[in-house]
Amino acid sequence: MRFIISETLLEEDSVQQLTNCAKLKGVVLAVGLPDLHPGKGYPIGSSIITQGLIYPHLVGEDIGCGMSLVRTGIAATKQKAEKWYKQLLGIEGRAGTELEEFAAKAPFEWPKGRAVPPVEGLKDAVAARFGTVGRGNHFVEIQELFQVANEELFKQLNMDQNQIYMLIHSGSRNYGEKVYEAYTSKHGTKPADISSPEAAEYLAEHNKALAYARRSRAVIAYRILSQIENIDTSWITEGSSCVIDTCHNYIEQLQAKNQFVHRKGAAPGNAGMIIIPGSRGAYSYIVKPVEENIAISGYSLAHGAGRAMKRSKALAKGKTIYPNSNPVSYTHLRAHETVLDLVCRLLLEKKKKKKKKN
């Protein structure tokens, strides 16, 4: 067992959960990453490597949850945060039949160069949630580049410092939930031998959930940008608009090994550059993993800022401190929030600072 985290941030519950994971049959390494925190029985912010076995419950329900960084084609000088906020009100509902059919469109790449298989036969609630952000800490943010530390890597991503970007955090919604429940209803928390029919069946559906999540993030980007007037969004679903797309809830087989990385709230450290989002209203970072060190951290990196306590505990504590408060409608940067959790961070902060100077 290994912790890639400051001791001052370690929480007893998350340590115990990771310890329990390390004792599971077939586990060869359990790593707690910088954003490690307690989950529903199993820690979030962890990378668990097994030999010859897979444990679906170490990934959980939201298979394929991840981040997409998307080009908007909007110049940073053309920011209209207040106007956009009003235009996006009411976008929280279903994507609609036409966009839901995009789940089965083939071929599709996201980002350009990475083929995403079609997901066919979506019905009822699974279809209804395709192209929607979801609850919890899922979000969409409009972001502005603040600083470039490495010009060479920046050029490799074909990014423009004068353009604003969209960051989407969303997963497979109830598609992944059904995949997880289908396995656990039969096998509980028992592992599956990788050569077994159970493992093959689960991994096939697991991979469909990954595709669902990636395609769903593309549709979310399209929906939001198409709500903003005078913006051509015809290119969004071609994949060229996606800069980075990574999942942080999934199982990956290590090449040339019969070992499997179970990531739950852990970004891949072996998939090129990734984006690590900050807390709401804070900065996000695009980073390139150091290849020779990725094995130390279980081939994974932190997937976000983490949290100091469970959501339920934070909610209870907040109600105690602010018993008569209304729901928060602004961050400390005065960024609007909608049900989609759209945060125009940095954009409004920049305007606010200009006003102070005047």
Side-chain angles (χ1 to χ4, degrees):
M1 188 167 68
R2 184 177 298 147
F3 293 95
I4 314 294
I5 182 174
S6 169
E7 290 185 10
T8 58
L9 297 177
L10 281 174
E11 187 176 351
E12 184 177 349
D13 287 350
S14 58
V15 172
Q16 185 58 57
Q17 288 183 351
L18 192 68
T19 301
N20 294 340
C21 291
K23 295 177 180 178
L24 293 172
K25 178 183 177 182
V27 171
V28 297
L29 180 63
V31 179
L33 296 162
D35 54 347
L36 181 71
H37 56 278
K40 295 179 180 179
Y42 306 95
I44 301 167
S46 63
S47 178
I48 313 294
I49 301 179
T50 59
Q51 183 77 41
L53 300 171
I54 59 170
Y55 286 88
H57 63 278
L58 293 183
V59 172
E61 300 174 347
D62 200 4
I63 305 164
C65 184
M67 302 283 175
S68 283
L69 182 66
V70 181
R71 299 179 183 88
T72 65
I74 306 171
T77 56
K78 301 295 184 181
Q79 304 167 19
K80 298 178 181 178
E82 294 290 342
K83 182 178 180 181
W84 296 343
Y85 168 70
K86 293 177 182 177
Q87 289 174 319
L88 290 170
L89 290 174
I91 198 176
E92 301 90 351
R94 189 167 179 165
T97 304
E98 184 176 349
L99 288 176
E100 287 162 14
E101 290 175 352
F102 179 75
K105 176 189 174 183
F108 174 65
E109 297 180 346
W110 189 261
K112 200 71 175 177
R114 180 200 279 159
V116 182
V119 184
E120 300 177 343
L122 298 187
K123 297 179 181 179
D124 305 325
V126 175
R129 286 169 176 76
F130 180 76
T132 63
V133 177
R135 58 187 178 184
N137 62 348
H138 293 149
F139 62 80
V140 176
E141 294 182 351
I142 303 297
Q143 299 185 336
E144 181 181 22
L145 285 160
F146 177 73
Q147 182 180 357
V148 176
N150 188 311
E151 289 288 349
E152 183 179 347
L153 294 178
F154 185 69
K155 289 178 181 178
Q156 288 180 23
L157 290 173
N158 194 28
M159 295 181 72
D160 182 354
Q161 198 161 4
N162 297 311
Q163 183 181 151
I164 60 176
Y165 292 80
M166 179 185 298
L167 181 62
I168 301 164
H169 176 204
S170 186
S172 57
R173 308 290 275 116
N174 57 349
Y175 190 103
E177 182 180 347
K178 289 183 179 296
V179 173
Y180 175 76
E181 289 178 350
Y183 181 89
T184 56
S185 64
K186 296 178 182 178
H187 312 291
T189 58
K190 292 180 181 179
D193 187 289
I194 194 57
S195 61
S196 69
E198 294 80 16
E201 181 181 359
Y202 170 79
L203 288 175
E205 292 302 316
H206 163 280
N207 292 340
K208 290 179 184 179
L210 295 184
Y212 178 104
R214 285 198 167 102
R215 286 174 175 264
S216 184
R217 286 192 285 273
V219 169
I220 289 168
Y222 178 90
R223 292 185 70 193
I224 291 176
L225 288 176
S226 64
Q227 286 285 107
I228 302 174
E229 61 185 1
N230 300 322
I231 295 177
D232 177 19
T233 55
S234 60
W235 44 265
I236 194 76
T237 53
E238 296 174 3
S240 59
S241 58
C242 182
V243 181
I244 294 171
D245 182 88
T246 56
C247 296
H248 50 240
N249 282 7
Y250 71 112
I251 296 175
E252 176 192 9
Q253 181 172 7
L254 294 177
Q255 292 184 356
K257 292 184 179 181
N258 195 31
Q259 292 184 345
F260 299 84
V261 183
H262 299 65
R263 296 188 176 99
K264 186 174 180 63
N270 54 352
M273 285 182 270
I274 66 166
I275 184 164
I276 302 177
S279 296
R280 184 179 296 162
Y283 294 107
S284 296
Y285 296 85
I286 297 175
V287 300
K288 182 180 180 181
V290 180
E291 292 183 14
E292 56 266 33
N293 293 337
I294 58 173
I296 296 173
S297 59
Y299 301 91
S300 305
L301 293 139
H303 81 306
R307 59 173 67 93
M309 62 186 76
K310 293 180 180 179
R311 292 177 197 162
S312 57
K313 185 177 179 180
L315 181 61
K317 188 174 182 179
K319 287 182 177 179
T320 301
I321 299 173
Y322 307 104
N324 300 316
S325 63
N326 292 321
V328 177
S329 57
Y330 290 93
T331 69
H332 69 284
L333 298 182
R334 303 296 292 168
H336 283 295
E337 298 172 8
T338 70
V339 175
L340 271 179
D341 206 7
L342 180 72
V343 181
C344 300
R345 71 175 174 192
L346 303 186
L347 310 188
L348 291 175
E349 179 187 34
K350 185 176 180 181
K351 292 179 180 180
K352 188 177 179 182
K353 286 182 177 179
K354 282 184 177 181
K355 288 181 180 180
K356 285 185 177 180
K357 290 179 180 179
N358 293 334

